[in-house]
Amino acid sequence: MTASSLLKKTRHPAIRSWPRTARDALPLALWSAQEIAAATGGVASGDFQCAGVEMDSRDVRPGDLFVALKGEAMDGHKFVEKAFAAGASAALVDRPVDGPHVLVEDTTAALHALAHAARDRAAAKRIAVTGSVGKTGVKEAIFNALDRSSRGQAHRSVRSYNNHVGVPLSLARMPARSRYGVFEMGMNHAGEIAELTQHAAPHVAVVTTIAPAHIENLGSMEAIADAKGEIFGGLVKGGVAIIPADSEYTARLVEHAKKCNAQVITFGRHASANVRLLDAIPAANGGSLVTAQVGETRLCYSVAEPGEHWISNSLCVLAAVQAAGGDLGAAGLALAELGGLKGRGARHQISVPGGKALLVDESYNANPASMRATLRQLGQTPATRRIAVLGAMKELGDFAPAMHSALIEPLTEAAIDHVILVGEEMESLAQDLGKAGAGTLGNTMSFAHCQGPAEAIAAVEEYGLAAGDALLVKGSNSVGLGRLVDHWTARQ
């Protein structure tokens, strides 16, 4: 008896009759040459398969399709050879190249077409996430919840791929077998999210919160709310809008959603919220134990990430997961295990004289709302001394001096021992801290003002970290305070 005949004879009947579904016929490779050509209207040089899609030759991995995008300052076609050297299976180009490729008229338009083809071929519930604060963390939490309940069949945009290139690229990377897709959307100007949401055509659109980020370009908080509300315009028929119930712009966002014929689910502490906070107490690990009412269901769960803002974020996650048809139990487990992201709350124990100190990495982004939230959390963190390295908040325009000066209040309330201010925009706050009357607010903190990350590193070294200290590093990404985080964590 051969091995194959023995296997057929001994195989369990239930396994032999395992039901096949339409999903079993879907390809395992992300894209074939024929599929790319059909989606983009291009011409394939031959037969090949791709496992991923990439636009930066430095990030290409073996099996990727390299998309040679042309920008104002750079032409991706100059890096096709490097992409192939890194293992790219093929390139999407607007001119013939040596190596497997699909030739199109316009690579940007072709990427959009590939994104739409990926969107349309997958029977995935798509969730779009925007907001002034918290969108990346909320996106990650929603993904982790849906990925857990779907056993690895969820997809999401990585890093902060949330702009006019990142969203189509993230869609183009979505496997045909995906059950869920979670996509982050950002903006600097009005009209940008309106374009992004049309690419994704989400079933669920989430606004985390409204805060004065990018107010330099938009001019007012109302304009920011309107720009974020553009996300509802791309919702499919019967789509759901997830809106914060505790914002002074709730009614404005609801109006935008209603104009798009969206179902509305609100979250927050307000009595009218559909997903409502009932109770939250500190947990032993620094996070929170939360009780929430989700429709007719009462849910108790843990949130690993510290801070009141993460309590609100967790309610947003539950609302989105429920709207997408996910499992609330899996969402609770995902929130309990969620770790901080690099530049967005990652916590490191670093070696210092006498033992360990806590470093909180919030170096990727900063605006007045997120500054207040993280400073409040630093003030609640058990520590011998609390030190804050605060980088300038960008894109505040004429509001910048007043909004930087206003940080004296959360610094004082958090009882910060020493603050290092980085960037020209911090001059107004430095002047206020230097006034003789600043101490009358109960603030006895010392401070230093630096122009860049190298000076900030030296200032921290001069102040001296000791065992039991807690160090917060937060600022807009362009300030470069990630260098300070790398300086300390590289030593470990």
Side-chain angles (χ1 to χ4, degrees):
M1 182 179 293
T2 65
S4 60
S5 61
L6 178 63
L7 181 61
K8 289 180 180 178
K9 185 176 181 180
T10 58
R11 188 179 296 161
H12 193 282
I15 297 177
R16 291 203 304 268
S17 62
W18 189 270
R20 291 184 61 82
T21 67
R23 294 173 56 81
D24 295 317
L26 294 173
L28 293 174
L30 181 64
W31 293 106
S32 68
Q34 294 74 23
E35 289 169 337
I36 298 169
T40 62
V43 178
S45 65
D47 191 25
F48 56 80
Q49 291 185 327
C50 297
V53 183
E54 186 53 72
M55 63 176 180
D56 190 328
S57 62
R58 296 167 297 183
D59 294 331
V60 166
R61 295 182 296 180
D64 279 350
L65 170 71
F66 175 65
V67 182
L69 296 176
K70 292 169 63 177
E72 294 180 2
M74 192 64 66
D75 186 349
H77 292 82
K78 295 179 180 179
F79 304 96
V80 170
E81 288 187 12
K82 288 185 177 181
F84 280 129
S89 292
L92 187 62
V93 292
D94 66 9
R95 67 204 70 166
V97 297
D98 292 331
H101 63 273
V102 173
L103 184 64
V104 297
E105 291 187 6
D106 183 311
T107 52
T108 297
L111 176 61
H112 292 175
L114 197 64
H116 297 172
R119 177 196 69 196
D120 295 341
R121 73 178 179 176
K125 284 288 184 70
R126 296 178 298 277
I127 302 97
V129 182
T130 193
S132 303
V133 182
K135 54 184 175 290
T136 300
V138 166
K139 177 258 297 180
E140 289 293 318
I142 294 171
F143 164 76
N144 283 317
L146 296 174
D147 199 51
R148 178 187 289 267
S149 62
S150 66
R151 299 182 181 181
Q153 296 184 77
H155 171 77
R156 93 305 205 168
S157 50
V158 299
R159 305 182 206 172
S160 288
Y161 280 15
N162 61 17
N163 63 6
H164 65 288
V165 175
V167 171
L169 182 68
S170 298
L171 279 162
R173 291 171 168 176
M174 184 166 63
R177 294 170 177 247
S178 299
R179 293 187 182 276
Y180 300 99
V182 191
F183 304 96
E184 180 180 337
M185 296 182 182
M187 59 90 188
N188 293 318
H189 296 82
E192 291 177 326
I193 288 181
E195 178 182 349
L196 300 180
T197 191
Q198 294 298 326
H199 286 312
H203 299 84
V204 181
V206 177
V207 176
T208 60
T209 189
I210 302 297
H214 314 301
I215 197 168
E216 175 184 22
N217 300 324
L218 291 158
S220 70
M221 293 294 293
E222 290 77 12
I224 293 172
D226 292 340
K228 297 298 183 183
E230 292 172 9
I231 197 170
F232 306 133
L235 280 167
V236 300
K237 185 177 180 180
V240 181
I242 308 295
I243 293 172
D246 303 322
S247 171
E248 61 180 298
Y249 305 101
T250 299
R252 199 178 191 95
L253 290 170
V254 169
E255 183 179 356
H256 281 291
K258 293 293 188 182
K259 286 180 180 178
C260 300
N261 298 313
Q263 304 177 53
V264 174
I265 294 178
T266 58
F267 66 91
R269 298 172 181 268
H270 196 277
S272 65
N274 302 113
V275 178
R276 182 165 59 93
L277 178 68
L278 298 179
D279 187 38
I281 59 174
N285 65 351
S288 304
L289 298 174
V290 180
T291 304
Q293 191 73 32
V294 185
E296 297 182 357
T297 301
R298 181 165 295 189
L299 189 65
C300 299
Y301 58 95
S302 298
V303 180
E305 287 295 285
E308 289 191 13
H309 57 294
W310 259 105
I311 296 172
S312 177
N313 285 349
S314 75
L315 301 173
C316 180
V317 170
L318 294 181
V321 169
Q322 184 189 48
D327 184 274
L328 290 177
L333 292 172
L335 288 164
E337 297 177 358
L338 191 67
L341 304 173
K342 179 178 174 60
R344 292 185 170 88
R347 299 163 78 84
H348 305 275
Q349 291 292 330
I350 59 175
S351 297
V352 295
K356 296 285 188 178
L358 172 67
L359 187 156
V360 181
D361 177 13
E362 288 273 2
S363 60
Y364 190 83
N365 200 3
N367 59 56
S370 64
M371 279 286 199
R372 285 180 173 272
T374 50
L375 286 170
R376 185 184 305 114
Q377 181 55 39
L378 180 61
Q380 297 171 356
T381 300
T384 304
R385 298 181 303 176
R386 299 179 181 88
I387 303 120
V389 180
L390 303 183
M393 301 179 290
K394 300 294 185 177
E395 298 185 16
L396 297 180
D398 294 339
F399 299 90
M403 288 184 171
H404 282 87
S405 291
L407 294 178
I408 195 169
E409 180 182 348
L411 282 166
T412 303
E413 292 175 349
I416 304 303
D417 295 282
H418 185 66
V419 59
I420 297 169
L421 309 175
V422 187
E424 293 182 5
E425 294 91 337
M426 283 290 182
E427 179 62 32
S428 59
L429 177 57
Q431 290 180 2
D432 288 346
L433 288 173
K435 291 178 183 177
T440 62
L441 297 175
N443 175 25
T444 58
M445 79 186 83
S446 55
F447 75 97
H449 185 202
C450 308
Q451 291 305 309
E455 290 182 49
I457 291 171
V460 175
E461 296 275 14
E462 181 180 353
Y463 183 73
L465 293 178
D469 286 348
L471 172 66
L472 168 67
V473 181
K474 184 166 182 64
S476 292
N477 189 43
S478 60
V479 179
L481 293 185
R483 288 174 53 189
L484 189 148
V485 175
D486 293 341
H487 172 81
W488 286 100
T489 56
R491 295 182 175 187
Q492 307 311 307

